Amino acid sequence: MTSELQVVVVGGGECGARVAHDLATSDLDARVVLVGREARAPYERPPLSKSVLVDDDPRPVEPYRDGRLDVERLEVLAGRTATSLDLEGRTVELDDGTRLGFDRLVLATGAQPRLLPGLPAAALTLRTFEDALVLRDALQPGAHLLVVGAGLVGLEVAASARTRGAQVTVVEAAERALGRAVPHPVARVLVERHEAEGVDLRLGTTVASASAGSGGWRVELSDGTSLAPDVVLQAVGSVPEVGLARDAGLEVDDGVVVDAAMRTSARGVWAAGDCCAGPVAVLGRRQRLESWRMAHDQAAVAAASVRGEEVSITAVPWFWSDQYDLSLQVSGMAAAATRWVERPRPDGTVVHLGLDADGVLVCAAGAGRAAVAKDVRMAERLVAAGARPDPDQLADPAVQLRSLLS
Ligand SMILES: Cc1cc2nc3c(=O)[nH]c(=O)nc-3n(C[C@H](O)[C@H](O)[C@H](O)COP(=O)(O)OP(=O)(O)OC[C@H]3O[C@@H](n4cnc5c(N)ncnc54)[C@H](O)[C@@H]3O)c2cc1C
């Protein structure tokens, strides 16, 4: 007879792999089963729109190298999908009919690309390593790629495609690229770079109609022009994978709803990563966050909470993007800012610092060569501290950001 707990983690992505590893190597007396739909070891998604599209011999980058998922109390079931949850009976059913009993359950099911109604099924999407290989094959020099959506993934793919010598058109329904997650002047830096690289970027433009047949693609745009691209990528955001949770009666609202300890509305069930929506302190409300580092931060909090520790997520959201030799860095939440301060850097780039209505620093963002990251990282410490810095000092490059921490 064993008192060992059974913990099931559904979703073998960035977040699920970390939760499972954390729990299996902790002092919790538990056996951990990680169920992942993809028939390969967990890997990181950020390279899919970057190095995987341009490198000669792309390989999946594993979040845990050196077999770190190969730990004694962890069983990895790859290529298996959880199809239903029985919260009363405490079981998860898999697509091969197996029922896994659990004492505690973590949902880390991620997200799927949002599909644009009206686009033929031949339009590609990018979420998995296999998707990236298909796209990579299509990006031959001279091929014409149409990207629908000027968000992070769309613009990263545009940069990679130009690097590969493909011709690129990007259409974006909004009047600006990168939505509200990136302050407008920072987005402009990237837009100007894409234009300088020869990307035909059409803002305020939609696909009016599209067909894909034996004669290839025919796309009519809302600006009255028509295109005949060789390949079309739809990159219009993602939808959280919440089917299991919703069918089991968990609260869902653009993501599985969680509290600050990543607990769902059901006892003994947690959710973390791209599939969940929880409180974001700097924003003052609930939001689904989709970023690599947040997947780590939430995994750590979920694992601690599963172990019974009193924890809550305090991490400041941060994401980056690489396009050409430019790095975009955003800490905090641009949507929380009501006023922006510009802080010039010696290399000519500008860090934009967002303050809320109470003067609290809530966002720092910049795009440029790697050095911009240094200021954004330092400003993130001010965001984390809830600092109310003097805007004139923030704007003055002679004033060290570190000095404003005190
Ligand atoms: C192309 C691309 C580029 C990105 N670039 C950046 C970047 O530059 N910077 C950044 O900060 N973030 C980036 N991200 C975002 C980052 O990769 C995600 O935030 C992160 O992968 C989220 O991890 P996750 O584990 O929550 O979800 P995922 O990585 O999506 O993993 C979820 C896993 O769960 C599996 N699953 C779903 N349902 C089930 C089920 N019922 N049963 C079993 N398994 C299931 C899925 O198949 C998937 O493998 C990028 C994402 C993409 C797609």
Side-chain angles (χ1 to χ4, degrees):
M1 181 118 172
T2 170
S3 60
E4 200 179 53
L5 289 173
Q6 174 94 347
V7 182
V8 174
V9 180
V10 180
E14 190 80 49
C15 187
R18 285 176 189 274
V19 174
H21 179 270
D22 189 329
L23 289 172
T25 53
S26 73
D27 54 12
L28 183 73
D29 186 15
R31 175 138 208 96
V32 182
V33 183
L34 176 63
V35 183
R37 178 191 291 150
E38 295 180 68
R40 55 166 70 248
Y43 59 91
E44 301 198 340
R45 289 181 210 283
L48 302 183
S49 44
K50 309 175 184 76
S51 55
V52 172
L53 298 182
V54 294
D55 284 359
D56 286 342
D57 182 20
R59 302 275 164 95
V61 177
E62 296 185 14
Y64 289 108
R65 295 183 188 86
D66 310 323
R68 278 182 62 201
L69 279 185
D70 187 15
V71 290
E72 202 185 319
R73 291 181 297 138
L74 172 59
E75 185 182 1
V76 180
L77 300 178
R80 306 269 281 280
T81 300
T83 51
S84 66
L85 302 180
D86 174 356
L87 293 180
E88 291 266 299
R90 312 305 278 171
T91 56
V92 183
E93 183 159 352
L94 307 188
D95 51 355
D96 63 356
T98 309
R99 269 175 203 275
L100 297 174
F102 66 84
D103 300 295
R104 296 173 196 176
L105 174 74
V106 182
L107 298 173
T109 47
Q112 286 293 327
R114 185 182 298 281
L115 300 180
L116 262 187
L119 266 193
L124 304 181
T125 55
L126 180 56
R127 186 79 195 176
T128 66
F129 189 72
E130 283 67 27
D131 294 340
L133 293 184
V134 171
L135 179 59
R136 188 178 189 285
D137 273 356
L139 296 182
Q140 299 304 325
H144 181 191
L145 166 70
L146 170 64
V147 179
V148 184
L152 287 171
V153 170
L155 290 186
E156 286 182 357
V157 170
S160 300
R162 287 302 294 142
T163 306
R164 291 280 306 278
Q167 181 195 338
V168 182
T169 305
V170 179
V171 296
E172 165 59 54
E175 293 295 339
R176 46 173 292 189
L178 296 170
R180 274 167 50 81
V182 179
H184 186 48
V186 179
R188 271 309 310 165
V189 172
L190 293 164
V191 164
E192 281 166 15
R193 181 56 184 275
H194 278 283
E195 287 169 346
E197 294 284 345
V199 172
D200 177 7
L201 179 55
R202 305 196 195 178
L203 300 175
T205 307
T206 55
V207 173
S209 66
S211 60
S214 53
W217 277 93
R218 176 95 193 155
V219 180
E220 309 292 335
L221 300 180
S222 59
D223 63 7
T225 57
S226 43
L227 305 172
D230 300 298
V231 53
V232 175
L233 174 76
Q234 44 186 337
V236 289
S238 74
V239 284
E241 281 261 11
V242 295
L244 273 182
R246 182 180 286 132
D247 292 350
L250 270 63
E251 191 186 349
V252 168
D253 179 14
D254 186 37
V256 184
V257 172
V258 292
D259 66 10
M262 314 314 298
R263 289 176 295 225
T264 69
S265 56
R267 181 184 54 85
V269 182
W270 287 256
D274 282 15
C275 72
C276 78
V280 180
V282 69
L283 197 56
R285 62 178 158 83
R286 185 166 68 210
Q287 168 123 350
R288 189 166 72 90
L289 298 169
E290 302 170 79
S291 74
W292 178 85
R293 195 179 76 181
M294 189 47 74
H296 295 196
D297 294 333
Q298 293 183 344
V301 171
S305 183
V306 168
R307 285 196 298 271
E309 294 168 27
E310 286 295 322
V311 277
S312 50
I313 186 104
T314 54
V316 174
W318 169 85
F319 65 88
W320 90 99
S321 171
D322 297 328
Q323 297 171 32
Y324 311 104
D325 59 351
L326 297 181
S327 170
L328 164 73
Q329 304 269 331
V330 182
S331 273
M333 300 295 291
T338 54
R339 151 174 198 205
W340 290 90
V341 172
E342 293 186 8
R343 181 179 170 88
R345 288 186 34 80
D347 62 3
T349 55
V350 177
V351 172
H352 295 259
L353 298 153
L355 302 162
D356 72 8
D358 297 325
V360 176
L361 185 67
V362 288
C363 186
R369 304 276 159 80
V372 82
K374 199 165 143 254
D375 278 359
V376 173
R377 219 172 16 245
M378 184 48 67
E380 182 178 310
R381 292 176 59 186
L382 292 167
V383 175
R388 271 196 188 81
D390 174 354
D392 290 339
Q393 290 196 313
L394 273 183
D396 183 352
V399 176
Q400 297 275 327
L401 288 175
R402 184 183 286 110
S403 71
L404 304 177
L405 260 175
S406 46

